[in-house]
Amino acid sequence: MQVTLKIFRYNPEVDTTFHYESYVIENAQETDRVLDLLEHVKGYNDGTLSFRRSCAHGVCGSDALRINGRNMLACKALVRDVGEKITIEPLLGLKVVKDLIVDMEPFFDNYKKVLPWFINDSPLPADGRERLQSPEQRARFDDTTKCIMCAACTTSCPSFWASDDYLGPAALVAAHRFVFDSRDEAAAERMEIVSETSGLARCHTAFNCTMACPREIQITKAIGELKMATITGRVE
Amino acid sequence: MNNVHQFDVVVVGAGGAGLMAGLYASRGAKTAVISKLYPTRSHTGAAQGGISAALGNYEEDKPEWHSYDTVKGSDYLGDQDAIEFMCNEAIDAVLELEHMGLPFDRTPQGKISQRPFGGHTNNETGKPVRRAAHAADRTGHMILQTLYQQCLKNKVNFFDEYQVLDFLIVNGKTAGVIAVELATGELHTFHAKSVVFATGGHGRIFEVTSNAYAYTGDGAAVLLRRGIPLEDMEFFQFHPTGIYKLGILITEGVRGEGGILINGLGERFMPKYAPTVKDLASRDVVSRAIYTEIREGRGVNGQNYVYLDVRPESVIKYAAMDGRTNLDGTPYTITGEQVLAKLPDIIDFCRVYLGVDPITQMMPIQPTAHYTMGGIPTNKFGEVVIDENNTVFPGLYAAGECACVSVHGANRLGTNSLLDLVVFGKYAGLKAAEYANQAEFETLPSDVESAARSQFDALRNGSGKENAFDLSTEMKKVMFEEVGIYRSEKGMKAAIQKIQEWKARYQQVKVSDAGRIFNTELLNAWELGNMLDIAEVVAECALNRKESRGGHSREDFPNRDDHNWLKHTLAWKKNGKVEIGYKPVVITKHKPKERVY
């Protein structure tokens, strides 16, 4: 089948502004990944086309892009799902560096603000073994451990687009992963951080993040659980 | 030289091994971790099934059993002192990960949950043992996340999206590395006393692979060009269950949970090849079995694939035939919901890429290029050793998939890769800091970036007669066919001939992107050069080894030959040619014997 790609192009060393280029690929398969098509264009049409990719099967988080207006991983979007006319653009809300590559630093900076690391300063079990955690306690935060930090959620969020300082859904997902871990001891500190005006209050439950997540994390629900904890003062 | 940085220790690569090395080195010395990807993009994150340790959380297990299984899995080519070291360290290593917050799945008692895996056995009964500690089917993802988070907590210095191009040697000692900052295209000199390479594997030299695009053998190729040998490069693991055509990994954990392999006739075929542990035999054994079924005409619909079946009714049926029971002695059962809970990512991959729901349908699979057992030779402390006498190169360390300790020998056991990178990443980091604290910085010569710059210049100024993408595609296809699961002299000689042609054609590649900022075309072309160098070593070493052992299967030499070949290969690149030498295998307790599963 024939597939037409319309790709956002911007080379900061040459261009004053962005433009779109179209590429026609003959003999595409409906099971081709959009990433395969991008590789094809880079290999045979224009070697300068720039994008990030690594694992090519949806676990490394490198290739989140706007495909036909929706945030997806290029390696998890198949032609049969997105159709024969495909518009590919960089994520919104982060500065475009070149073509489909955006500046991820602000995204990771927000992540780092929520203390996204395990904190437990109590002595280890005397036998040196694992801290115990019931399967139910473990299940409590399972969903938010799946995050691959691709930024598809944060860059789909209207509040993130509109504000300079919103932590964004991905950082809140990271906070949730630790706040609801029964072994972690820094829930109060993290709740203080996410309760600032740059945090939970900026979520207006648009659900864009949940729709965009390639890992199918129930992000809006996770944020809701954090909000509930600020109201009740309890993490449960 | 505008961009010069000085660190006691530089770690190259930020997957599990690099992060562990960075974490430990930074506790004792000024350390930088340089990675061509953001750390969380590293391929450790794609590891699925588990990390092995004889925790014994469900049933009796011992580090000695783990060691023996690893030795047997290695087809007796693993160094037994290093294997014993790793398996003894395993319990503390996994507990340390838990203490760092890693969300392992849990037993009903709240302990770390474990599942059966290929080649993991109770040495007294020969039956599978639950040794693989897991977090659903994303154990590698959780290790990568946890280690990255701990590095952030401990304020490790990261240089993200910097590609290391060259290793600096002054006075026969480590002096640092040269890297290009992808965002600007500028070269940077990292002046260092110790360097740890943790750059992962090179599975992208093969057409069908589970490996990330990033897996182009950069670290091994950089060191090879600087005169460091590579060890046992003929041994490459083909994982039995990759998604048909795409090569995406389907964890062995599927078979650990009771999944079985079915050929085109609807028969379960593994009992023919491994009468005791059947579908849970070692990976090389299972991959050859699948290939044999396909070659003898029992692929599905005459195609190059068979089925992996984890539908609950099939699992229950075959578990009953095998007499598999739960720990309380009741017959083993599983529900669709449990399959989904234990293997969520696998289910997702199949639904997305195949349109197949593994709860109700069988998965089409074929063996996929997965892991290199060979790599940069090290001892069990991660110190790089550069000759037959294991002479240590001052200040140079390697860990993880790019290294060859050797704990995997001719075939790696499932889950030992994650264990390897945690254990040896830690020791490489500790030793690198220890060395740096008693060493002086070597004085850098003035033209330190020239070799790296000339490599880039050559790619920018080629004639443009050749297309890098075409070259790469040809290489992967020939390597998969001729230097893949089954190998013969004729095919490998043809492949080596081709590799020489590709290397000549590579000189005619021209990078069309003249820019500096994120010049990914230049980066990819440079990576292709690494893959060609590595492919050459793999093919030469494979042609040289005239026996079959573990992942190296010669049709013209179908048997293991301990008399002539119970030895490691070392390969140097000298004067444009691959030179081969050997070193002995360390054998402590386990004398080589026939390997039956």
Side-chain angles (χ1 to χ4, degrees), chain A residues 44 52 54 75-76 98 183, chain B residues 101 161 213 348 353 470 513:
Chain A
Y44 295 110
R52 292 189 178 99
S54 191
C75 62
K76 277 189 97 173
K98 181 183 180 187
R183 302 167 300 166
Chain B
E161 300 194 316
Y213 275 103
D348 183 49
Y353 297 110
D470 279 337
D513 191 338

Side-chain angles (χ1 to χ4, degrees), chain B residues 197-385:
Chain B
F197 275 79
T199 50
H202 50 258
R204 280 275 156 181
I205 66 173
F206 297 104
E207 182 181 23
V208 177
T209 179
S210 63
N211 285 185
Y213 275 103
Y215 259 31
T216 52
D218 303 343
V222 161
L223 291 182
L224 185 72
R225 288 196 281 267
R226 286 295 177 192
I228 307 293
L230 299 177
E231 180 178 350
D232 290 343
M233 291 293 279
E234 61 271 40
F235 296 102
F236 200 93
Q237 178 167 82
F238 291 81
H239 192 290
T241 56
I243 290 181
Y244 179 48
K245 287 184 178 168
L246 293 170
I248 296 167
L249 182 67
I250 301 288
T251 175
E252 201 165 299
V254 171
R255 284 169 286 137
E257 302 295 348
I260 52 267
L261 292 161
I262 302 286
N263 66 19
L265 304 176
E267 299 164 341
R268 181 194 192 191
F269 55 86
M270 276 313 297
K272 276 190 295 190
Y273 302 90
T276 309
V277 294
K278 306 181 182 79
D279 299 87
L280 283 173
S282 213
R283 287 178 180 172
D284 57 331
V285 175
V286 181
S287 283
R288 278 194 295 278
I290 292 169
Y291 216 76
T292 304
E293 291 295 306
I294 289 170
R295 290 212 300 194
E296 292 177 358
R298 294 188 294 277
V300 177
N301 299 324
Q303 303 291 307
N304 293 335
Y305 68 92
V306 297
Y307 284 129
L308 174 61
D309 187 356
V310 73
R311 295 174 298 176
E313 62 272 25
S314 304
V315 170
I316 292 164
K317 175 177 137 192
Y318 288 104
M321 285 166 66
D322 292 349
R324 180 172 176 176
T325 58
N326 296 317
L327 290 164
D328 61 4
T330 56
Y332 181 80
T333 60
I334 198 162
T335 64
E337 275 177 11
Q338 287 167 329
V339 172
L340 186 57
K342 286 167 189 272
L343 304 164
D345 284 1
I346 297 305
I347 309 294
D348 183 49
F349 296 153
C350 290
R351 287 174 178 166
V352 169
Y353 297 110
L354 296 166
V356 162
D357 182 352
I359 311 285
T360 58
Q361 294 166 286
M362 296 190 284
M363 298 168 256
I365 57 95
Q366 73 177 123
T368 182
H370 184 55
Y371 186 89
T372 176
M373 276 69 76
I376 305 157
T378 73
N379 60 25
K380 66 182 180 188
F381 300 120
E383 295 168 317
V384 173
V385 290

Side-chain angles (χ1 to χ4, degrees), chain A residues 9-30:
Chain A
R9 301 299 309 267
Y10 170 66
N11 180 348
E13 295 175 77
V14 177
D15 302 331
T16 49
T17 183
F18 67 93
H19 65 283
Y20 289 84
E21 292 272 353
S22 286
Y23 305 90
V24 177
I25 299 177
E26 310 288 346
N27 305 319
Q29 309 288 316
E30 64 168 18

Side-chain angles (χ1 to χ4, degrees), chain A residues 13 42 44 52 54 60 75-76 80 98 105 116 129-131 133 138 142 145 147 149 177 183, chain B residues 38 41 57 98-99 101 103 106 110 112 138 141 149 161 213 348 352-353 470 513 516-517 520:
Chain A
E13 295 175 77
K42 187 172 180 62
Y44 295 110
R52 292 189 178 99
S54 191
C60 82
C75 62
K76 277 189 97 173
R80 69 163 170 246
K98 181 183 180 187
E105 290 298 319
R129 300 289 293 199
E130 60 267 59
R131 293 189 171 94
Q133 182 171 54
R138 168 64 182 76
D142 184 68
T145 67
C147 175
M149 298 199 278
R177 177 256 172 271
R183 302 167 300 166
Chain B
Y38 275 104
R41 314 303 188 209
N57 279 356
E98 197 283 331
H99 297 156
R106 298 287 166 159
I112 295 169
R138 56 176 184 280
H141 165 79
Q149 291 157 354
E161 300 194 316
Y213 275 103
D348 183 49
V352 169
Y353 297 110
D470 279 337
D513 191 338
R516 294 178 295 106
I517 296 173
T520 54

Side-chain angles (χ1 to χ4, degrees), chain A residues 11-13 31 33 35-36 39-40 42-44 46-63 75-78 80-81 97-98 101-105 107-108 111-112 116-121 124-125 127-136 138 141-143 145-151 174 177-178 181 183 214-216, chain B residues 37-38 40-43 45-46 48 54-57 91-92 95 97-112 135-136 138 141-142 145-146 148-150 152-153 160-161 183 204 210-215 246 248-249 344-345 348-355 467 469-470 473 512-522 524 527:
Chain A
N11 180 348
E13 295 175 77
T31 51
R33 296 165 273 201
L35 178 61
D36 299 324
E39 284 287 324
H40 183 92
K42 187 172 180 62
Y44 295 110
D46 185 351
T48 70
L49 175 65
S50 296
F51 50 91
R52 292 189 178 99
R53 86 285 195 257
S54 191
C55 80
H57 66 286
V59 297
C60 82
S62 296
D63 64 350
C75 62
K76 277 189 97 173
L78 272 53
R80 69 163 170 246
D81 303 322
V97 180
K98 181 183 180 187
I101 295 177
V102 294
D103 179 9
M104 294 293 288
E105 290 298 319
F107 174 79
F108 282 105
Y111 171 73
K112 290 168 193 167
W117 43 76
F118 183 70
I119 297 172
N120 182 327
D121 297 327
L124 292 169
D127 59 2
R129 300 289 293 199
E130 60 267 59
R131 293 189 171 94
L132 298 180
Q133 182 171 54
S134 72
E136 294 71 29
R138 168 64 182 76
F141 64 103
D142 184 68
D143 202 32
T145 67
K146 296 190 300 196
C147 175
I148 55 175
M149 298 199 278
C150 66
R177 177 256 172 271
F178 290 102
D181 184 339
R183 302 167 300 166
R215 303 285 293 159
E216 297 178 12
Chain B
L37 304 170
Y38 275 104
T40 59
R41 314 303 188 209
S42 305
H43 202 51
Q48 297 168 357
L55 296 167
N57 279 356
I91 294 173
D92 283 347
L95 292 172
L97 291 173
E98 197 283 331
H99 297 156
M100 289 177 178
L102 197 143
F104 284 109
D105 291 347
R106 298 287 166 159
T107 71
Q109 293 76 36
K111 295 192 275 190
I112 295 169
R138 56 176 184 280
H141 165 79
M142 295 320 328
Q145 295 275 325
T146 301
Y148 179 59
Q149 291 157 354
Q150 289 298 310
L152 291 180
K153 184 180 181 184
D160 297 333
E161 300 194 316
R204 280 275 156 181
S210 63
N211 285 185
Y213 275 103
Y215 259 31
L246 293 170
I248 296 167
L249 182 67
D345 284 1
D348 183 49
F349 296 153
C350 290
R351 287 174 178 166
V352 169
Y353 297 110
L354 296 166
N467 178 307
F469 204 76
D470 279 337
T473 306
S512 64
D513 191 338
R516 294 178 295 106
I517 296 173
F518 276 105
N519 192 333
T520 54
E521 186 187 11
L522 180 61
N524 295 353
E527 290 170 332

Side-chain angles (χ1 to χ4, degrees), chain B residues 284-508:
Chain B
D284 57 331
V285 175
V286 181
S287 283
R288 278 194 295 278
I290 292 169
Y291 216 76
T292 304
E293 291 295 306
I294 289 170
R295 290 212 300 194
E296 292 177 358
R298 294 188 294 277
V300 177
N301 299 324
Q303 303 291 307
N304 293 335
Y305 68 92
V306 297
Y307 284 129
L308 174 61
D309 187 356
V310 73
R311 295 174 298 176
E313 62 272 25
S314 304
V315 170
I316 292 164
K317 175 177 137 192
Y318 288 104
M321 285 166 66
D322 292 349
R324 180 172 176 176
T325 58
N326 296 317
L327 290 164
D328 61 4
T330 56
Y332 181 80
T333 60
I334 198 162
T335 64
E337 275 177 11
Q338 287 167 329
V339 172
L340 186 57
K342 286 167 189 272
L343 304 164
D345 284 1
I346 297 305
I347 309 294
D348 183 49
F349 296 153
C350 290
R351 287 174 178 166
V352 169
Y353 297 110
L354 296 166
V356 162
D357 182 352
I359 311 285
T360 58
Q361 294 166 286
M362 296 190 284
M363 298 168 256
I365 57 95
Q366 73 177 123
T368 182
H370 184 55
Y371 186 89
T372 176
M373 276 69 76
I376 305 157
T378 73
N379 60 25
K380 66 182 180 188
F381 300 120
E383 295 168 317
V384 173
V385 290
I386 54 169
D387 58 23
E388 294 85 343
N389 304 317
N390 288 318
T391 305
V392 170
F393 188 97
L396 180 58
Y397 303 81
E401 189 172 348
C402 73
C404 179
V405 183
S406 157
V407 286
H408 309 307
N411 171 67
R412 175 174 67 76
L413 278 198
T415 71
N416 271 350
S417 57
L418 292 176
L419 178 59
D420 169 345
L421 57 81
V422 174
V423 170
F424 296 109
K426 168 180 163 181
Y427 280 95
L430 282 171
K431 289 286 171 183
E434 193 181 297
Y435 174 85
N437 286 330
Q438 54 79 45
E440 299 297 325
F441 281 101
E442 296 298 322
T443 306
L444 293 178
S446 57
D447 57 347
V448 72
E449 293 171 352
S450 64
R453 188 175 291 110
S454 65
Q455 286 179 18
F456 272 8
D457 287 346
L459 290 166
R460 287 182 190 275
N461 300 324
S463 69
K465 279 186 205 150
E466 295 289 344
N467 178 307
F469 204 76
D470 279 337
L471 269 181
S472 170
T473 306
E474 273 182 54
M475 172 194 70
K476 290 163 199 272
K477 194 167 161 46
V478 171
M479 287 299 290
F480 193 68
E481 282 169 7
E482 305 296 358
V483 198
I485 295 171
Y486 278 107
R487 301 161 169 185
S488 70
E489 179 174 310
K490 187 163 171 266
M492 286 189 286
K493 281 192 165 162
I496 289 166
Q497 174 77 31
K498 286 272 188 196
I499 291 168
Q500 297 311 325
E501 288 171 30
W502 298 323
K503 292 185 95 161
R505 288 168 59 194
Y506 178 67
Q507 306 300 320
Q508 309 288 326

